[in-house]
Amino acid sequence: MSFVRRFLSGSRLRELRQVLADAPSPRSYAALANEHARLGEMADAERVAREGLELYPGNSELGRMADRSRAIEAEGRTRELYKELREAPRPAIWRELFELLIASGRIARAEECAQEWFNATGDGNAQLARAQARCERFFIDRRRDDAKFALELLGAAEKLLARDPRPLRLKLDLYVRVGAWKEARRTAGQCLELEPGDALIEARFRSLNAMQDQAPGLEQALREVEKSGRLVDEASPLSEASTSAGEIRPLLKRMCTEPGVRAAIYVRGATALVQGPRGATAERTARTVREVVQKSRTAARRLGLGQALEITLEGEFGHLHVSPGDLGAAALWSARPTSERLRQELADLTAMTASTSQEPEA
Amino acid sequence: MKRILEPLAQIPGVRMALLVAHDGVPVMIKNATDSVAPDSAEAVAPESLAALAAGWLNELERSVGPLSWGSPQRVVLRAARGSLVMIHAPGALLLAIVDPRMSPDELRLPMEAAVVRMQRLLRPTQEPAAAPSVAVQAPALPSRPESKGRAPSRADTSL
């Protein structure tokens, strides 16, 4: 940057800081953060945005700026670390790169990094990093195979890192989140052998002791997670506050008036709202949609495609378009292809029901 | 068959094109050369992918069965890390895995064209095979020895 530009931007920064001091507002914080970002000072941009967020929590612009600044900063550091690895690879660099990739949600890259690290050094920490990446992948995708592979890696890491509680703690976390209480209890016991007197683990051990009687086996628990897409510590859609049928029904009714639409359906747990077909046909239609959503969610995870966002079936029966959400799913059965507008409305409907259910928790 | 999948695999955004038997056995797999899967570590083996996709279609058929709906001719599963598009081809299923940034609708025409090419490719081999099968069809009842003259009617039969 030339001297003149630096001088001008310096005066602009001073000006914006003064504005912020005189009249603090989300806009003035955003303007200062933006100026730092323009100058390439991402750490400062993030700091200003976070400071603004403390005063104005929930401001979307400041939140976006903070996240973006951090991401850009992380990208820059990632590039530096990759360069350093090419020149002089060593465990500390791999570790930092791995942590950075995990923090930025690039799980596959993180796992590749851990694999390279392990191949180069055979270090137990690298094996643990591989297991951690695979666990993260499982917590995102809920694929049974990922969990099994993560447990295999954790077993290998345990052997390499004798008397290190980290693999056991990670294993315990995995078992608890899938609801494999028997295995979790056993692992908590092993943790206590390594760290006797840890109050948290002791409390966990006691609660697991009480839960293990009716516990499913590990395989069954993993199968259930893959099928439902929900970990045990996540609330079930039925236990959360439900959006009233009065809010959804008019939307379904309106969709049903569109030309060619035969049925508009919303399913959530065992509850279903159907506009169009009546009586037994309505019940069958809702059941079909529920099954299609369930099977497709499982298929998407097993195919390695992640969370299912949209499902479309076309045939002699017409077109069935399903928009699965976190809590429920909305579907439209029509004679002709579903228009982009209706698809968006379906997605909005599932998003709306998810957000209204989360409101009471906030 | 390679020539049928080649144009599909070359479309930007298509990760893989497969021709799969209805029981999930892959007939032909074509990986895109220029497309890199974003999660290469998580990539499912093509053979597993074929079996899982065919299994999923079977499950969907069972799910829509109670409504007396026939088998879906085209199925699209759009997900966070990509989409699966599947259509019925003659005696098989044509599958494509595409990147998340690509709309599955963009594949509608190329995939239908691929199916038409398959049908065209199979037609010359199917027709001669179909004709004799009708001609040599065995009668349900044992036939009488061929009579040279007019077949005797019930009225002509004398006891």
Side-chain angles (χ1 to χ4, degrees):
Chain A
M1 191 184 288
S2 71
F3 173 74
V4 178
R5 278 191 69 187
R6 208 180 312 149
F7 178 75
L8 288 174
S9 54
S11 66
R12 172 102 182 113
L13 271 180
R14 273 195 298 278
E15 200 179 295
L16 286 170
R17 280 195 197 115
Q18 194 58 52
V19 170
L20 181 60
D22 294 343
S25 68
R27 181 179 277 195
S28 52
Y29 272 107
L32 182 58
N34 208 17
E35 187 61 24
H36 277 302
R38 209 175 59 80
L39 295 170
E41 300 163 353
M42 291 302 160
D44 289 327
E46 189 193 349
R47 184 181 47 77
V48 171
R50 296 253 172 248
E51 189 185 317
L53 274 174
E54 278 175 24
L55 285 176
Y56 306 99
N59 184 283
S60 60
E61 194 185 355
L62 287 173
R64 192 180 52 78
M65 285 186 91
D67 291 344
R68 187 81 192 113
S69 309
R70 193 176 51 185
I72 292 172
E73 202 185 348
E75 266 173 39
R77 182 69 188 140
T78 307
R79 269 196 299 273
E80 280 172 23
L81 289 171
Y82 270 122
K83 194 180 163 201
E84 217 166 323
L85 269 182
R86 275 195 300 274
E87 287 165 2
R90 53 194 189 276
I93 308 289
W94 269 307
R95 185 196 299 271
E96 189 184 346
L97 181 61
F98 173 78
E99 282 168 6
L100 203 60
L101 290 168
I102 285 281
S104 54
R106 294 161 73 185
I107 310 295
R109 291 273 175 272
E111 196 171 349
E112 279 170 11
C113 168
Q115 177 75 56
E116 276 174 34
W117 177 11
F118 182 72
N119 290 345
T121 62
D123 188 1
N125 286 307
Q127 191 73 297
L128 181 63
R130 286 178 72 198
Q132 193 185 338
R134 191 49 74 137
C135 280
E136 289 292 332
R137 168 61 64 216
F138 170 67
F139 293 143
I140 293 169
D141 287 351
R142 284 92 203 269
R143 260 175 63 185
R144 195 164 29 129
D145 292 346
D146 285 338
K148 284 181 184 170
F149 189 49
L151 287 170
E152 269 177 39
L153 293 173
L154 280 169
E158 264 178 69
K159 283 177 191 157
L160 290 168
L161 299 168
R163 305 212 54 82
D164 190 330
R166 289 175 302 160
L168 284 173
R169 280 179 179 267
L170 191 55
K171 203 189 245 187
L172 176 62
D173 190 35
L174 181 64
Y175 285 143
V176 167
R177 293 193 74 181
V178 300
W181 310 122
K182 276 181 199 158
E183 286 79 1
R185 183 188 164 277
R186 199 177 56 237
T187 312
Q190 288 171 329
C191 283
L192 280 175
E193 280 172 22
L194 285 181
E195 295 176 299
D198 187 312
L200 198 70
I201 303 281
E202 274 180 6
R204 222 168 187 185
F205 182 78
R206 276 195 296 274
S207 63
L208 289 167
N209 228 359
M211 289 157 85
Q212 66 161 346
D213 292 341
Q214 301 292 321
L218 175 65
E219 184 64 30
Q220 198 187 338
L222 291 175
R223 206 179 286 275
E224 188 53 42
V225 169
E226 188 177 75
K227 190 178 163 193
S228 66
R230 283 183 181 277
L231 296 165
V232 171
D233 54 1
E234 291 171 329
S236 99
L238 295 173
S239 64
E240 292 182 32
S242 61
T243 309
S244 72
E247 291 171 42
I248 300 169
R249 198 172 282 128
L251 292 171
L252 295 178
K253 208 174 245 181
R254 201 182 51 67
M255 282 182 195
C256 234
T257 59
E258 297 277 343
V261 174
R262 291 172 181 165
I265 308 114
Y266 180 79
V267 289
R268 181 177 186 170
T271 315
L273 291 172
V274 182
Q275 287 291 321
R278 292 178 186 282
T281 314
E283 272 177 36
R284 276 199 297 270
T285 313
R287 203 176 303 134
T288 296
V289 169
R290 194 177 294 124
E291 276 185 27
V292 166
V293 171
Q294 198 182 44
K295 310 276 188 213
S296 305
R297 274 184 174 148
T298 310
R301 274 193 291 278
R302 296 178 74 189
L303 287 163
L305 296 173
Q307 193 189 357
L309 303 174
E310 216 175 63
I311 306 144
T312 311
L313 311 185
E314 294 174 17
E316 286 169 359
F317 52 85
H319 298 251
L320 179 71
H321 185 85
V322 188
S323 174
D326 286 341
L327 302 177
L332 212 59
W333 171 30
S334 55
R336 56 180 79 166
T338 315
S339 66
E340 194 54 46
R341 182 176 57 80
L342 282 173
R343 285 183 187 195
Q344 193 53 51
E345 280 183 24
L346 281 179
D348 290 347
L349 179 61
T350 44
M352 179 190 89
T353 51
S355 64
T356 47
S357 295
Q358 281 159 7
E359 267 167 19
E361 294 175 353
Chain B
M1 286 295 172
K2 267 185 187 170
R3 275 180 295 151
I4 289 168
L5 293 190
E6 193 88 51
L8 271 181
Q10 282 175 350
I11 296 171
V14 174
R15 276 188 225 158
M16 197 191 294
L18 302 97
L19 195 64
V20 180
H22 285 286
D23 57 2
V25 176
V27 178
M28 175 72 61
I29 299 164
K30 195 79 196 157
N31 281 302
T33 48
D34 57 341
S35 174
V36 178
D39 284 338
S40 51
E42 276 69 42
V44 178
E47 292 78 13
S48 312
L49 197 144
L52 287 168
W56 175 53
L57 184 67
N58 284 336
E59 285 180 334
L60 290 181
E61 283 171 359
R62 275 200 297 276
S63 299
V64 301
L67 289 172
S68 304
W69 291 1
S71 174
Q73 294 300 303
R74 181 174 182 267
V75 183
V76 178
L77 174 59
R78 197 168 69 76
R81 288 207 300 277
S83 304
L84 167 75
V85 188
M86 183 160 41
I87 65 169
H88 274 282
L93 299 167
L94 183 61
L95 262 83
I97 301 286
V98 301
D99 283 343
R101 62 176 186 274
M102 183 185 190
S103 165
D105 282 342
E106 288 173 39
L107 268 191
R108 182 185 288 273
L109 205 61
M111 286 183 82
E112 283 173 359
V115 170
V116 170
R117 276 199 300 277
M118 261 180 85
Q119 283 166 342
R120 205 180 301 147
L121 196 76
L122 293 173
R123 204 173 294 148
T125 55
Q126 271 178 352
E127 277 170 1
S133 71
V134 174
V136 297
Q137 207 167 20
L141 295 170
S143 58
R144 290 181 182 178
E146 274 186 23
S147 57
K148 285 183 181 170
R150 182 171 60 91
S153 70
R154 198 179 171 86
D156 293 338
T157 313
S158 56
L159 296 171

